[in-house]
Each structure stands twice: as C-alpha cells, then as structure tokens.
Amino acid sequence: MNDQRKKQRCKGGRKPKIDPCIHRYVFRLNDKDNNKFLSLFEASGMDNKAQFITSLLFSKEIKTVKIDKGTVDFYMRLTSFYAQFRAVGVNYNQVVKLLYTHFTEKKAAAFLYRLEKNTAELAVLCRGIIELTDEFNNRSLKK
C-alpha cells in the first residue's frame, strides 16, 4: 500500500511529450557560411534556429522579406516632392487670384504671361519626373 502512495505522489514535473525529439545532428560552419546562415535566419523571421533548419531540410516554405533602403528612400523623397508640387499648385491659384484682384487686367495679363512660361518649364520637369518614376518602377520594383 505504501508503494502505491509513492507512485501517485511522484507525478510532479511537466508532462512527457507524445513524440519527443531524440535524434540530434551536429554540423560545423566556417565564418562565411555562418554569416550567410545567420542572415537567412534573420530574414526568415523565425524565433528558433532548429525549426528554421528543419523547415529548410524538409522544403517547407520560408517567407523572407527584403527591404531595399534605396527604394524606401526614393519613395520618401518622391512623396515629399509630390507634397511640394501640390503646394506650388495651391500657390499658383492664389497668385492668379491676387493678380486679378490687385492689378488692372492689362498688368495682370503681363504677369500671367511670365507665370505661364515658368509653368511650361514646370510641366516639362513633371513629365521627366514621371518618366524617371516609371523607369525606376520597371527596373527595381518588379523584380
């Protein structure tokens, strides 16, 4: 009877796994291969190196996300440039309105003629920017 009580009391600790991982394999890497392995591991976003290795061995899909700093920088600059371009458009409308309210029609037309020349240059610049953006999209983002 004492033996049965002892068996019932000794059930502490965690529950045993149904399918424990008992097989172990060891391999060694040189510095170059280790750096490549660590970069792939970090890119995968996994927390456990053992799970990463087994997923590679058994051809499970590994998701990697590469962030190109040049692309991000280009996008940020393009966004800020677009904001500046819109501000120029708003200012353009305000200038035209002020010209007609404060000057005679003849003077306003003379000033608008100068403004129109600068606007044509701005339109050419805008077309060039659109072409550069399209070229960048075709070259970099569609890889």
Side-chain angles (χ1 to χ4, degrees):
M1 197 153 168
N2 274 341
D3 292 332
Q4 286 179 344
R5 282 187 181 173
K6 284 183 182 178
K7 286 183 183 179
Q8 288 176 353
R9 281 190 222 161
C10 294
K11 291 203 174 192
R14 68 178 181 186
K15 294 180 181 178
K17 294 181 180 179
I18 295 171
D19 187 19
C21 298
I22 58 173
H23 302 287
R24 181 177 177 171
Y25 297 94
V26 177
F27 61 96
R28 299 187 189 284
L29 300 172
N30 60 17
D31 288 338
K32 180 182 171 186
D33 291 338
N34 187 46
N35 289 336
K36 186 175 181 180
F37 169 75
L38 290 176
S39 67
L40 287 173
F41 173 68
E42 289 173 3
S44 72
M46 290 184 148
D47 297 330
N48 191 344
K49 289 180 186 173
Q51 288 176 349
F52 173 70
I53 293 170
T54 54
S55 67
L56 282 177
L57 289 174
F58 298 119
S59 300
K60 292 181 184 173
E61 185 177 335
I62 297 174
K63 296 179 182 177
T64 58
V65 177
K66 293 184 181 180
I67 298 174
D68 185 12
K69 297 291 184 187
T71 305
V72 172
D73 187 42
F74 179 78
Y75 177 76
M76 295 301 290
R77 289 178 189 261
L78 187 64
T79 303
S80 67
F81 183 74
Y82 179 71
Q84 290 175 0
F85 196 76
R86 284 183 54 124
V88 167
V90 170
N91 290 342
Y92 184 85
N93 289 339
Q94 291 173 350
V95 165
V96 170
K97 186 176 179 181
L98 287 173
L99 282 176
Y100 278 114
T101 57
H102 292 293
F103 295 105
T104 62
E105 237 178 90
K106 209 174 201 184
K107 274 191 173 181
F111 286 126
L112 281 176
Y113 180 71
R114 286 189 204 165
L115 189 61
E116 190 177 329
K117 284 184 179 179
N118 291 335
T119 305
E121 290 176 14
L122 192 61
V124 170
L125 180 65
C126 183
R127 283 189 206 108
I129 291 167
I130 290 171
E131 288 173 5
L132 284 174
T133 304
D134 289 340
E135 179 184 334
F136 180 78
N137 283 339
N138 291 335
R139 188 169 25 104
S140 298
L141 298 179
K142 304 227 173 159
K143 284 184 178 179

